[in-house]
Amino acid sequence: MTNPFIIAIRQDPEKFLSALETDELKEVAEGCITVLEARAKAGDGSAPAKLQALYRAVANIEI
C-alpha cells in the first residue's frame, strides 16, 4: 500500500501518533471506532474482537 498515512503508522506508530495534535488524535480514534463498527456489522470476523479490545483499553485509562 502506498498511502503515506498507513506507511507512517506501520513504520513507527509512536512517532506518528505523537506528532498529532490532541483534536487530531480524537478524530483518528473516532474514525477507527466507526470503521470497526461498520466492519463488524458487515460480517468481518475479526472486527468485533478488535472493537472490544479498543473499548477495554479506553475503559482502563486512568487520568
Side-chain angles (χ1 to χ4, degrees):
M1 178 169 284
T2 60
N3 182 319
F5 180 88
I6 300 299
I7 292 170
I9 206 162
R10 284 186 179 164
Q11 287 179 347
D12 193 345
E14 185 175 338
K15 180 180 178 183
F16 176 79
L17 294 171
S18 68
L20 297 177
E21 299 293 325
T22 301
D23 288 339
E24 293 168 332
L25 285 169
K26 177 184 174 283
E27 293 298 322
V28 169
E30 288 176 349
C32 290
I33 290 169
T34 300
V35 169
L36 284 171
E37 285 176 333
R39 288 184 180 177
K41 289 176 183 176
D44 180 334
S46 65
K50 304 289 185 196
L51 188 57
Q52 186 65 34
L54 183 58
Y55 287 149
R56 283 188 189 130
V58 171
N60 291 326
I61 293 173
E62 291 186 29
I63 298 175

